[in-house]
Coordinates of all heavy atoms in Angstrom, one line a residue:
V1 N 0.8 -1.2 0.0 CA 0.0 0.0 0.0 C 0.9 1.3 0.0 O 1.8 1.3 0.8 CB -0.9 0.0 1.2 CG1 -1.6 1.3 1.3 CG2 -1.9 -1.2 1.2
Q2 N 0.5 2.1 -0.9 CA 1.2 3.5 -0.9 C 0.2 4.6 -1.1 O -0.7 4.5 -1.9 CB 2.3 3.5 -2.0 CG 3.5 2.8 -1.7 CD 4.6 3.2 -2.7 OE1 4.4 3.2 -3.9 NE2 5.8 3.5 -2.2
L3 N 0.4 5.7 -0.3 CA -0.3 6.9 -0.5 C 0.8 8.0 -0.7 O 1.6 8.2 0.3 CB -1.2 7.2 0.7 CG -2.4 6.3 0.9 CD1 -3.1 6.7 2.1 CD2 -3.4 6.4 -0.3
V4 N 0.8 8.6 -1.8 CA 1.9 9.6 -2.1 C 1.3 11.0 -2.3 O 0.6 11.2 -3.3 CB 2.8 9.2 -3.2 CG1 3.9 10.2 -3.4 CG2 3.4 7.8 -3.0
E5 N 1.5 11.9 -1.3 CA 0.9 13.2 -1.5 C 1.9 14.1 -2.3 O 3.1 13.9 -2.3 CB 0.8 13.9 -0.1 CG -0.3 13.2 0.8 CD 0.4 12.3 1.8 OE1 1.6 11.9 1.6 OE2 -0.1 12.1 2.9
S6 N 1.4 15.1 -3.0 CA 2.2 16.0 -3.7 C 1.4 17.3 -3.8 O 0.2 17.4 -3.6 CB 2.6 15.5 -5.1 OG 1.4 15.2 -5.9
G7 N 2.1 18.4 -4.3 CA 1.5 19.6 -4.5 C 1.7 20.7 -3.4 O 1.2 21.8 -3.6
G8 N 2.3 20.4 -2.4 CA 2.6 21.3 -1.3 C 3.7 22.2 -1.7 O 4.3 22.1 -2.7
G9 N 3.9 23.2 -0.8 CA 5.0 24.2 -1.1 C 4.8 25.5 -0.4 O 3.9 25.6 0.5
L10 N 5.5 26.4 -0.8 CA 5.4 27.8 -0.3 C 4.6 28.6 -1.2 O 4.9 28.7 -2.4 CB 6.8 28.4 -0.1 CG 6.8 29.9 0.3 CD1 6.2 30.1 1.7 CD2 8.3 30.4 0.2
V11 N 3.5 29.2 -0.7 CA 2.6 30.0 -1.5 C 2.2 31.3 -0.8 O 2.3 31.3 0.4 CB 1.3 29.2 -1.9 CG1 1.6 28.0 -2.8 CG2 0.6 28.7 -0.6
Q12 N 1.8 32.3 -1.6 CA 1.5 33.5 -1.0 C 0.0 33.6 -0.6 O -0.8 32.9 -1.2 CB 1.7 34.6 -2.0 CG 3.2 34.9 -2.4 CD 3.5 36.2 -3.2 OE1 2.5 36.7 -3.8 NE2 4.7 36.6 -3.3
P13 N -0.3 34.4 0.4 CA -1.6 34.5 0.8 C -2.6 35.0 -0.3 O -2.1 35.8 -1.2 CB -1.6 35.6 1.9 CG -0.2 35.5 2.4 CD 0.7 35.1 1.3
G14 N -3.8 34.4 -0.3 CA -4.6 34.8 -1.4 C -4.6 33.8 -2.6 O -5.6 33.8 -3.4
G15 N -3.6 33.1 -2.7 CA -3.4 32.2 -3.8 C -4.2 30.9 -3.6 O -5.0 30.7 -2.7
S16 N -4.0 30.0 -4.6 CA -4.6 28.7 -4.5 C -3.6 27.5 -4.7 O -2.5 27.8 -5.2 CB -5.6 28.6 -5.7 OG -6.7 29.5 -5.5
L17 N -4.1 26.4 -4.3 CA -3.2 25.3 -4.3 C -4.0 24.1 -4.5 O -5.2 23.9 -3.9 CB -2.4 25.2 -3.0 CG -1.1 24.3 -2.8 CD1 -0.1 24.9 -3.8 CD2 -0.7 24.3 -1.4
R18 N -3.5 23.0 -5.2 CA -4.2 21.8 -5.2 C -3.2 20.6 -4.8 O -2.2 20.4 -5.5 CB -4.7 21.4 -6.6 CG -5.6 20.2 -6.7 CD -6.2 19.9 -8.0 NE -5.3 19.3 -8.9 CZ -5.7 18.6 -10.0 NH1 -7.0 18.4 -10.2 NH2 -4.8 18.0 -10.8
L19 N -3.6 19.9 -3.7 CA -2.9 18.8 -3.3 C -3.4 17.5 -4.0 O -4.6 17.4 -4.2 CB -3.0 18.7 -1.8 CG -2.6 19.9 -0.9 CD1 -2.7 19.5 0.5 CD2 -1.2 20.3 -1.3
S20 N -2.5 16.6 -4.2 CA -2.9 15.3 -4.8 C -2.4 14.2 -3.9 O -1.4 14.4 -3.3 CB -2.3 15.1 -6.2 OG -2.8 16.2 -7.1
C21 N -3.1 13.1 -4.0 CA -2.7 11.9 -3.2 C -2.9 10.7 -4.2 O -4.1 10.3 -4.4 CB -3.4 11.7 -1.9 SG -3.1 10.2 -1.1
A22 N -1.8 10.1 -4.6 CA -1.9 9.0 -5.5 C -1.8 7.7 -4.7 O -0.9 7.5 -3.9 CB -0.7 9.0 -6.5
A23 N -2.8 6.8 -4.9 CA -2.9 5.6 -4.1 C -2.6 4.4 -4.9 O -2.8 4.4 -6.2 CB -4.3 5.5 -3.6
S24 N -2.1 3.4 -4.3 CA -1.8 2.1 -4.9 C -1.8 1.0 -3.9 O -1.5 1.2 -2.7 CB -0.5 2.1 -5.7 OG 0.6 2.4 -4.9
G25 N -2.0 -0.2 -4.4 CA -1.9 -1.3 -3.5 C -3.2 -1.8 -2.8 O -3.2 -2.7 -1.9
F26 N -4.2 -1.1 -3.0 CA -5.6 -1.4 -2.5 C -6.6 -1.0 -3.5 O -6.4 -0.2 -4.4 CB -5.8 -0.9 -1.1 CG -5.8 0.6 -1.0 CD1 -7.0 1.4 -1.0 CD2 -4.5 1.4 -1.0 CE1 -7.0 2.7 -0.9 CE2 -4.5 2.8 -1.0 CZ -5.7 3.4 -0.9
T27 N -7.8 -1.4 -3.2 CA -8.9 -1.1 -4.1 C -9.5 0.3 -3.7 O -10.4 0.4 -2.9 CB -10.1 -2.1 -4.0 OG1 -9.5 -3.4 -4.2 CG2 -11.1 -1.9 -5.1
F28 N -8.9 1.3 -4.4 CA -9.1 2.7 -4.1 C -10.6 3.0 -4.1 O -11.0 3.8 -3.1 CB -8.4 3.5 -5.1 CG -8.6 5.0 -4.9 CD1 -7.8 5.8 -4.0 CD2 -9.4 5.7 -5.7 CE1 -8.0 7.1 -3.8 CE2 -9.6 7.1 -5.6 CZ -8.8 7.7 -4.6
S29 N -11.3 2.6 -5.0 CA -12.7 3.0 -5.1 C -13.6 2.6 -4.0 O -14.7 3.1 -3.8 CB -13.3 2.5 -6.5 OG -13.3 1.1 -6.5
Q30 N -13.2 1.6 -3.2 CA -13.9 1.1 -2.1 C -13.6 1.8 -0.8 O -14.2 1.4 0.2 CB -13.7 -0.4 -2.0 CG -14.2 -1.2 -3.2 CD -14.0 -2.7 -3.0 OE1 -13.5 -3.2 -2.0 NE2 -14.3 -3.5 -4.1
Y31 N -12.7 2.7 -0.8 CA -12.2 3.3 0.4 C -12.7 4.8 0.5 O -12.8 5.5 -0.5 CB -10.7 3.4 0.5 CG -10.1 2.1 1.0 CD1 -10.3 0.9 0.2 CD2 -9.5 1.9 2.2 CE1 -9.7 -0.4 0.6 CE2 -9.0 0.7 2.6 CZ -9.1 -0.4 1.8 OH -8.6 -1.6 2.2
A32 N -13.1 5.2 1.7 CA -13.3 6.6 2.0 C -11.9 7.3 2.0 O -10.9 6.7 2.6 CB -14.0 6.8 3.3
M33 N -11.7 8.5 1.5 CA -10.5 9.1 1.5 C -10.6 10.4 2.3 O -11.6 11.1 2.2 CB -10.0 9.4 0.0 CG -9.9 8.2 -0.8 SD -8.6 7.1 -0.2 CE -7.1 8.1 -0.2
R34 N -9.6 10.7 3.0 CA -9.6 11.9 3.8 C -8.3 12.7 3.8 O -7.3 12.1 3.5 CB -9.9 11.4 5.3 CG -11.2 10.6 5.4 CD -11.5 10.2 6.8 NE -10.6 9.3 7.5 CZ -10.7 8.9 8.7 NH1 -11.6 9.4 9.5 NH2 -9.8 8.1 9.2
W35 N -8.4 14.0 4.1 CA -7.3 14.8 4.3 C -7.3 15.3 5.7 O -8.3 15.8 6.2 CB -7.3 16.0 3.3 CG -7.0 15.7 1.9 CD1 -7.8 15.5 0.9 CD2 -5.6 15.6 1.3 NE1 -7.2 15.2 -0.3 CE2 -5.8 15.3 0.0 CE3 -4.4 15.7 1.8 CZ2 -4.7 15.1 -0.9 CZ3 -3.4 15.5 0.9 CH2 -3.5 15.2 -0.4
F36 N -6.1 15.2 6.3 CA -5.9 15.7 7.7 C -4.8 16.8 7.5 O -4.0 16.8 6.6 CB -5.4 14.6 8.6 CG -6.5 13.6 9.0 CD1 -6.9 12.7 8.1 CD2 -7.0 13.7 10.3 CE1 -7.9 11.8 8.5 CE2 -7.9 12.8 10.7 CZ -8.4 11.8 9.8
R37 N -4.6 17.6 8.6 CA -3.5 18.5 8.7 C -3.0 18.6 10.1 O -3.8 18.3 11.0 CB -3.8 19.9 8.1 CG -4.9 20.6 9.0 CD -5.2 22.0 8.3 NE -6.2 22.7 9.0 CZ -6.8 23.8 8.5 NH1 -6.4 24.3 7.4 NH2 -7.7 24.4 9.2
Q38 N -1.7 18.9 10.2 CA -1.1 18.9 11.6 C -0.1 20.0 11.6 O 0.7 20.1 10.7 CB -0.4 17.6 11.9 CG 0.0 17.4 13.3 CD 0.5 16.0 13.6 OE1 0.9 15.3 12.7 NE2 0.5 15.6 14.9
T39 N -0.1 20.8 12.7 CA 0.9 21.8 12.9 C 1.7 21.3 14.2 O 1.3 20.5 15.0 CB 0.3 23.2 13.2 OG1 -0.7 23.1 14.2 CG2 -0.4 23.7 11.9
P40 N 2.9 21.8 14.3 CA 3.8 21.4 15.4 C 3.1 21.5 16.8 O 2.6 22.5 17.1 CB 5.0 22.3 15.3 CG 5.1 22.7 13.8 CD 3.6 22.8 13.4
G41 N 3.2 20.4 17.5 CA 2.7 20.4 18.9 C 1.2 20.3 19.0 O 0.7 20.3 20.1
K42 N 0.5 20.0 17.9 CA -0.9 19.9 17.9 C -1.3 18.6 17.3 O -0.5 17.8 16.6 CB -1.6 21.0 17.2 CG -1.4 22.4 17.8 CD -2.3 23.4 17.1 CE -2.1 24.8 17.8 NZ -3.0 25.8 17.3

């Protein structure tokens, strides 16, 4: 199983960004997919 995120980086306020997560090793269509985020200490 692999989940590989991409699309992050340094962006300016007001801009837009699209993150991607490419999956392999399991039947993707049968899974709920979620995005989480984490900052230091939280």
Side-chain angles (χ1 to χ4, degrees):
V1 172
Q2 280 194 312
L3 292 174
V4 181
E5 299 100 333
S6 61
L10 174 63
V11 292
Q12 292 192 344
S16 298
L17 198 64
R18 189 175 81 159
L19 305 181
S20 301
C21 172
S24 61
F26 63 99
T27 307
F28 178 80
S29 61
Q30 295 180 3
Y31 281 67
M33 298 301 297
R34 304 183 294 176
W35 286 97
F36 288 73
R37 65 183 177 187
Q38 188 172 25
T39 55
K42 296 190 176 181

